[in-house]
Amino acid sequence: MIDFEPTEEQKAAVKMAHDFALNEMRPIALECDKEGKIPDELIKKAAAAGLTAMAIPEEYGGGGLDQVTAAMVSEELFWGCAGIATTLGANSLATTPMVIAANEEQKRKYFPRLTDPDNPKFAAFCLTEPGAGSDAASISTTIREEGDYYVVNGQKCFITNGGIADFYSVFCTFDREKKYGGIAAIIVERSYEGVSIGKKEDKMGIRASNTTEVIFDNVRVPKENLFVPMGQGFYNVMVTLDMTRASVASGAVGIARAAFEEALKYAKERVQFGRPIIAQQAISFMLADMAMQIEAGRRLYLLAAWKASKGLPCSLESSYAKAFCGDMAMRVTTDAVQIHGGYGYMKEYLVEKLMRDAKIMQIYEGTNQIQRVVIAGNLMGVTDAYPWG
Ligand code: COS
């Protein structure tokens, strides 16, 4: 009934992602973190390896990875560099709502833009606003009909790839009074008049990734770009996040694993009181806890991803995985810094970056407090009301 053996395809995908992380990401990870950007050359290589369009079905030129394989690949990429991995993964977040709800014409028009290895472009998921973070139903970006167009007005913030995206999947409301019943989603191209990029954020971690405000000022969008009608937008967001949170959780496992490996190596090499510090029980027990928590996190994200890949309700498992793995990555990276002592606090040691990167795993794609809201809601039987449940 239970098989923990990955398929041959999964092994190949993980190997490819690990080699990419090791050979292409790791050597430039500290530099990208410092500079706050990623060389175009690396993006091209990632696109050629199929890592910029993992969630897009094969018939549109994407990787067509199922959720389990995508999550396993994400663990490797975050092991390489969480900032670069976030940039690549944000395409999946932006396109999953479209994979779920866009029509054939919309998919054929927009997906190939992300899969061209010679000129890979990015997409961005535009939900969060200054006044609507955890409370996603209260977004205030508006959409209204005007002749052959819809007109979009509003401001989005903390948008991953906001400044480098070619197009955005934008969640907006036809009628705020209707709360989540008014929400729809539309594809807005960066080149449309009235689209501008606001503040570029200077972040604690995942610094290689681009995070900006995106402003829509009377943007006229062709009607055929609406891909989720009014009333369905909030459900689309919820189902999207249920599907993508396993890959955030697996990313957290990747960061934690990187920190654990560094700490283990250091603990074997560092001699104090005449022996390697790993011989001190205080240190070896910390390492044992780290290994145990990483393994537990991996099982949780695999369960969530497996349910998502089977089309089963996975809200509860996705939230278990996201909250556990995010919190776990923060603990493990903090302990890895601790094991390194003063050296771990210095920027030339990888664990310093890993601890900063881990923090976002407790925040983005729904804070870990929101994951507990979802878990508690499920425990109280609220899921019975979900049309998909
Ligand atoms: N799948 C399907 N439907 C869902 C769902 C899910 N996972 N979660 C909620 N719904 C449905 C509910 O069934 C309800 O539908 P009906 O009224 O038709 O029955 C509707 O959506 C509203 O649900 P609810 O009342 O629970 O919504 P809330 O406004 O209370 O918000 C949370 C629920 C907090 C879970 C939601 O706002 C959330 O996930 N917030 C975090 C947003 C986030 O992750 N932001 C980060 C963006 S990416 S960086």
Side-chain angles (χ1 to χ4, degrees):
M1 189 180 114
I2 293 173
D3 186 356
F4 288 114
E5 183 68 16
T7 64
E8 289 309 313
E9 268 179 20
Q10 286 166 342
K11 282 185 199 163
V14 167
K15 183 175 179 334
M16 183 275 288
H18 184 75
D19 290 348
F20 189 85
L22 181 68
N23 300 321
E24 307 292 346
M25 294 164 87
R26 271 290 175 93
I28 59 167
L30 289 181
E31 189 59 23
C32 291
D33 177 71
K34 196 167 152 207
E35 297 296 323
K37 56 181 191 221
I38 306 170
D40 289 347
E41 207 44 45
L42 181 88
I43 299 297
K44 282 194 178 156
K45 285 181 186 168
L51 295 170
T52 51
M54 291 180 278
I56 294 177
E58 278 171 306
E59 64 257 42
Y60 308 104
L65 297 189
D66 63 275
Q67 274 83 4
V68 176
T69 314
M72 293 166 83
V73 164
S74 165
E75 178 180 334
E76 299 310 315
L77 299 180
F78 276 78
W79 175 91
C81 172
I84 301 171
T86 292
T87 302
L88 304 178
N91 267 359
S92 295
L93 180 60
T95 53
T96 298
M98 294 171 64
V99 171
I100 294 169
N103 63 34
E104 193 56 25
E105 211 176 305
Q106 292 163 337
K107 289 176 181 171
R108 293 229 171 267
K109 179 169 178 189
Y110 287 102
F111 286 167
R113 297 187 185 191
L114 310 182
T115 59
D116 177 359
D118 298 321
N119 186 18
K121 299 204 163 118
F122 284 100
F125 177 80
C126 285
L127 173 68
T128 301
E129 299 178 359
S134 293
D135 184 7
S138 70
I139 55 170
S140 62
T141 294
T142 57
I143 178 167
R144 66 182 156 79
E145 208 172 339
E146 197 179 276
D148 292 340
Y149 293 87
Y150 288 113
V151 178
V152 177
N153 271 294
Q155 183 180 345
K156 299 289 180 179
C157 67
F158 303 150
I159 303 304
T160 304
N161 291 349
I164 58 172
D166 176 68
F167 65 90
Y168 307 94
S169 43
V170 182
F171 291 84
C172 38
T173 177
F174 275 98
D175 184 354
R176 278 196 84 187
E177 297 286 301
K178 291 194 161 78
K179 288 289 279 178
Y180 65 84
I183 298 177
I186 192 162
I187 302 159
V188 180
E189 298 192 21
R190 169 74 180 90
S191 60
Y192 291 167
E193 207 179 323
V195 178
S196 63
I197 310 304
K199 182 173 162 224
K200 178 175 187 274
E201 303 295 346
D202 188 9
K203 307 188 293 296
M204 171 194 281
I206 56 164
R207 291 179 52 79
S209 67
N210 173 281
T211 310
T212 68
E213 293 173 334
V214 181
I215 297 147
F216 304 101
D217 181 12
N218 274 318
V219 183
R220 281 153 61 91
V221 184
K223 274 199 168 153
E224 63 264 23
N225 283 23
L226 192 81
F227 71 97
V228 184
M230 180 173 93
Q232 296 299 310
F234 190 75
Y235 302 134
N236 180 281
V237 171
M238 292 297 107
V239 175
T240 294
L241 294 173
D242 283 352
M243 288 168 72
T244 56
R245 278 175 184 153
S247 280
V248 178
S250 68
V253 170
I255 297 173
R257 194 181 104 211
F260 168 73
E261 289 170 5
E262 292 298 305
L264 181 65
K265 186 159 58 107
Y266 184 83
K268 287 178 179 169
E269 287 165 7
R270 173 75 171 163
V271 173
Q272 289 289 276
F273 305 107
R275 51 187 181 159
I277 60 171
I278 198 168
Q280 306 285 356
Q281 199 178 61
I283 302 295
S284 65
F285 276 20
M286 280 170 88
L287 288 160
D289 276 336
M290 290 157 87
M292 183 166 61
Q293 292 175 57
I294 290 167
E295 199 54 41
R298 188 175 290 119
R299 299 302 145 206
L300 270 183
Y301 88 61
L302 285 171
L303 175 65
W306 177 81
K307 288 196 105 178
S309 73
K310 297 277 173 214
L312 297 168
C314 59
S315 199
L316 180 63
E317 292 77 8
S318 297
S319 287
Y320 282 158
K322 201 277 175 181
F324 181 89
C325 294
D327 290 349
M328 177 276 289
M330 201 62 238
R331 278 194 306 271
V332 167
T333 54
T334 305
D335 283 352
V337 168
Q338 190 68 22
I339 288 172
H340 281 72
Y343 293 106
Y345 203 65
M346 304 304 155
K347 283 203 178 287
E348 71 222 65
Y349 281 77
L350 185 61
V351 288
E352 184 271 344
K353 171 183 182 293
L354 293 169
M355 185 177 161
R356 285 187 286 106
D357 285 345
K359 187 62 202 168
I360 196 65
M361 310 314 279
Q362 295 179 299
I363 300 173
Y364 68 8
E365 291 205 32
T367 65
N368 282 2
Q369 285 65 41
I370 286 297
Q371 305 312 318
R372 286 166 171 89
V373 168
V374 173
I375 293 166
N378 275 261
L379 297 179
M380 289 185 281
V382 176
T383 42
D384 292 350
Y386 294 171
W388 293 266

